[in-house]
Amino acid sequence: MPQCSQRNISMCMDLYELTMANGYYADRDCSEQVVFDVFYRKNPDKGGFAVFAGLEQVVEYIENLHFDEEEIEYLRSLGLYSEAFLTYLNNYRFTGSVDAVPEGTIVYPHEPLVTITAPLIDAQLVETAILTEINHQTLIATKARRIVRAAKGRSVSDFGARRAHNVDAAVYGARAAYIGGAANTATVLAGKMFNIPVSGTMAHSWVMYYDSEYEAFAQFCRIYPDNAVLLVDTYDVVRSGVPNAIQAAKEVLEPMGKRLKGVRLDSGDLAYLSQKVRLMLDEAGLTDCIIVASNSLDEYTIGSILRQGGQIDAFGVGERLITAKSDPVFGGVYKIAGVIKNGVCEPRIKVSESVEKITNPGKKKLYRIYNESGNAIADLITLATEAPPNVKAPYRYVDPRKPWKTMYYENCTARELQVPVIRDGKRVGPLPTLDEIRDYVTHQLDFEIWPEEQRFSNPHVHYLDMSPAYYEMKMDLLDAMDKH
C-alpha cells in the first residue's frame, strides 16, 4: 500500500519550491534540463557509514506527483501565482530521470546518493519530499543497524510507535528499522503494509487489571499458549513476577503440553535482574524460556548490559530507535550540480567558508572500489563522460584531502553504484523487496565493509577519491569563482 494511495501528498513541499517554479515558468525555458544531487555531510552518531533507505517512497511520490482542483484552489488563494502557472500545474506530471544507489547501500558523506536529471521545474518541485523520505528512513535504518550490532546476534524488535513523532514516522520508521536489521515490529500497520513480522507481549495494564498477578499470567497463558511472554516487573520482579510466571508455566502451560516462551523486563537494573531471573528460570527447569528486555535502550545501554553479563536473549527498542534520539537529524541536502545546455552539462558549484559545504559539481559517476579480497577500500567520483576506471592496472586517483600525493589503485575491481530508477517519469523496473534490501545491508557489512568502519568510537574514515579529470574540473571551477 503506497503512502499516497489514499491521499495526495504532492504538496509536501516548501513554499519556495512553488515560488521558484512560478518564477522559472515566467522567466525561463522550463524544458531546460538541470542536474541535482542528494548527498549528506556527516554520518549520524559520529559513525563510519549510513544505511541508505527511503528510495521506494521517493519513487512512489514522483510517480504520483500531481495537483488536483483542491490543491490548485488552495494555491490560488495564496495570491502568489499566475493563472498560467496554475493551469500548468493542473496538467503537471514529472518527466525527468532519477538515478540512485540501490536502497540498502552502505553510503558515505559527500557522495551522490540520488541524482535527478530533469526539466528545471520538475527538479525543483521534488526537493522537499525527496529529502523528507531519505533523511528520515536513512537515519532510522542507520540507528537500527548500530543497535543490532550492539546486540551481538540477539533479536532486536522495534517497539517505538508510541514515541514516534507521528503515525507516518512510526510506520515508515518501522520499515527503516527492518532494513537496518530489526527482526520485527510491534507496529501492526507496518506489518500489514510491508509484510514485516510483528511481535508483542502485554502491557502493565493487563497485569494491573486482574485481582492478582498470577491470575493475569494464567489467563494470558490460557489464551496464548504458544506465544506467552509475561511482563514480570509490574510489582516485584524477583519476589512475585518471576515466581508467578513460573507457577503459570507449571500449572497452565505444562498440562497443555506447552512451554513458557519468555518473560520481559521493562525497568530496573536490567543486567543484574536478568542474571537473577535466568537462575530462577533455570532452577525451575525453564531453560528454554527467553528473557526480553525493554526500557529506553540503544546501542550504548545494550552494550553496557551485555558487558556486565546481562542474560538478555532479545531486546525491544523504542524511543531511541524510532527517533534516533542521540543524533535525531540526518543532514541530507539537495543541491544543483549542473545545467544541461546543447546536450552538455555545465557544472555548478556551491562555495562556502566552511570547506565541508563546498559541493561536488557536475554530472558524475560514483564507483565503489574493491581489493582482491572483496573489501571496499574506497569510493571514486569520476566525470560522467569518463570511461569506467581500469583499476586492474595501476589507476591514478586523487585523494582530495591530500591532492599533492600520487596515489594508485591496482589489482582492484570497480562497481558503479548508481543505477537507473526512473526514466521520463516512469520507473525503469521493479524495485527490490524489503527482505532483499535488508539482506543486501547484511551482506555488505558482513563481507565488504571493513570492521574498522563499523566501530562506534573513532571508526575508520572511508575514502572518497576523485579521478584526476574530475578533481581538475572542480579546482578549475573554484579558481574561476575566486576570480569573480
Side-chain angles (χ1 to χ4, degrees):
M1 181 170 59
Q3 61 186 334
C4 44
S5 63
Q6 297 180 17
R7 56 179 176 168
N8 186 2
I9 62 171
S10 295
M11 290 205 305
C12 182
M13 57 180 64
D14 290 300
L15 182 66
Y16 75 16
E17 316 292 4
L18 287 161
T19 303
M20 287 188 286
N22 181 62
Y24 293 143
Y25 184 83
D27 182 55
R28 294 277 168 178
D29 174 6
C30 296
S31 65
E32 185 173 72
Q33 300 265 317
V34 293
V35 179
F36 276 79
D37 286 330
V38 176
F39 62 94
Y40 71 104
R41 297 189 177 106
K42 66 184 183 69
N43 292 317
D45 289 306
K46 300 181 181 179
F49 62 89
V51 178
F52 177 63
L55 181 62
E56 181 176 314
Q57 282 64 53
V58 168
V59 173
E60 290 172 359
Y61 175 84
I62 288 174
E63 285 186 323
N64 289 279
L65 179 56
H66 68 283
F67 299 86
D68 294 327
E69 284 299 328
E70 183 179 348
E71 283 76 44
I72 298 298
E73 281 303 314
Y74 171 73
L75 294 177
R76 182 176 287 116
S77 74
L78 299 179
L80 295 172
Y81 309 116
S82 70
E83 282 299 317
F85 178 63
L86 294 176
T87 300
Y88 167 82
L89 289 182
N90 204 21
N91 298 291
Y92 175 81
R93 288 293 187 274
F94 182 89
T95 61
S97 297
V98 178
D99 296 271
V101 302
E103 193 164 8
T105 300
I106 304 304
V107 293
Y108 304 94
H110 302 291
E111 58 189 27
L113 309 182
V114 180
T115 298
I116 308 292
T117 306
L120 183 58
I121 289 179
D122 293 43
Q124 198 69 70
L125 290 180
V126 298
E127 173 181 2
T128 304
I130 288 176
L131 291 178
T132 297
E133 303 288 8
I134 290 173
N135 280 340
H136 175 235
Q137 290 200 50
T138 301
L139 179 69
I140 304 305
T142 305
K143 187 66 169 182
R145 196 67 211 185
R146 291 172 62 86
I147 292 169
V148 168
R149 182 172 177 80
K152 297 184 181 298
R154 296 162 180 83
S155 176
V156 171
S157 300
D158 158 43
F159 280 11
R162 66 191 58 205
R163 298 289 188 265
H165 292 131
N166 64 18
V167 171
D168 279 345
V171 171
Y172 291 96
R175 179 186 187 273
Y178 189 68
I179 287 172
N184 45 57
T185 181
T187 306
V188 179
L189 182 56
K192 176 179 180 290
M193 287 176 62
F194 305 119
N195 200 31
I196 301 171
V198 291
S199 69
T201 59
M202 60 171 61
H204 293 104
S205 57
W206 175 277
V207 181
M208 296 165 69
Y209 171 77
Y210 288 90
D211 292 337
S212 72
E213 188 176 45
Y214 172 74
E215 183 184 354
F217 290 169
Q219 184 64 6
F220 198 85
C221 289
R222 292 186 193 104
I223 299 170
Y224 303 107
D226 296 312
N227 195 37
V229 178
L230 306 178
L231 183 58
V232 295
D233 73 333
T234 305
Y235 303 117
D236 188 300
V237 172
V238 175
R239 293 183 180 180
S240 69
V242 176
N244 282 323
I246 291 170
Q247 184 181 353
K250 298 295 184 181
E251 295 181 356
V252 179
L253 292 175
E254 291 188 8
M256 302 168 62
K258 306 294 185 179
R259 301 286 289 177
L260 180 61
K261 183 176 180 179
V263 297
R264 177 160 74 97
L265 300 169
D266 190 51
S267 60
D269 186 328
L270 297 178
Y272 167 77
L273 286 173
S274 65
Q275 294 176 65
K276 294 282 288 185
V277 170
R278 183 76 270 161
L279 286 172
M280 294 171 72
L281 293 172
D282 289 352
E283 288 174 357
L286 299 175
T287 56
D288 56 337
C289 179
I290 68 170
I291 300 174
V292 181
S294 51
N295 186 30
S296 298
L297 298 172
D298 61 14
E299 65 268 42
Y300 301 108
T301 54
I302 288 173
S304 177
I305 289 167
L306 296 181
R307 284 192 298 273
Q308 294 174 60
Q311 297 295 300
I312 310 294
D313 302 291
F315 294 95
V317 186
E319 63 190 61
R320 298 188 183 187
L321 168 58
I322 207 68
T323 67
K325 184 177 180 181
S326 54
D327 194 349
V329 175
F330 186 79
V333 295
Y334 185 88
K335 299 296 182 184
I336 192 167
V339 176
I340 299 175
K341 295 185 177 181
N342 299 317
V344 177
C345 182
E346 295 183 0
R348 297 289 191 268
I349 189 168
K350 179 185 182 297
V351 180
S352 171
E353 293 297 322
S354 301
V355 173
E356 68 274 9
K357 289 194 173 183
I358 297 175
T359 61
N360 286 323
K363 196 162 179 62
K364 59 190 79 68
K365 290 186 177 180
L366 176 67
Y367 296 89
R368 184 146 293 168
I369 309 300
Y370 299 88
N371 64 15
E372 292 177 286
S373 300
N375 297 115
I377 60 172
D379 287 358
L380 174 72
I381 292 176
T382 75
L383 298 171
T385 54
E386 288 186 77
N390 178 11
V391 291
K392 291 286 187 188
Y395 175 89
R396 188 171 75 85
Y397 66 88
V398 178
D399 180 346
R401 301 172 305 171
K402 304 173 184 177
W404 59 87
K405 296 188 70 174
T406 302
M407 308 180 81
Y408 294 90
Y409 304 131
E410 190 171 5
N411 297 320
C412 294
T413 56
R415 176 170 68 94
E416 188 173 353
L417 287 186
Q418 284 196 346
V419 297
V421 177
I422 290 176
R423 288 291 180 269
D424 300 322
K426 306 288 186 183
R427 71 174 71 187
V428 171
L431 297 173
T433 67
L434 198 59
D435 282 324
E436 287 172 339
I437 296 168
R438 188 173 186 267
D439 291 345
Y440 177 46
V441 173
T442 299
H443 175 83
Q444 293 168 90
L445 293 173
D446 285 351
F447 299 107
E448 297 180 5
I449 306 304
W450 296 106
E452 290 82 0
E453 289 183 12
Q454 301 182 49
R455 293 192 298 249
F456 293 154
S457 300
N458 300 313
H460 171 72
V461 176
H462 188 86
Y463 299 115
L464 180 60
D465 299 321
M466 298 176 180
S467 70
Y470 183 85
Y471 181 77
E472 182 178 355
M473 180 272 289
K474 181 175 181 178
M475 292 303 104
D476 287 346
L477 271 181
L478 288 172
D479 184 58
M481 294 295 293
D482 188 52
K483 291 176 181 177
H484 281 331

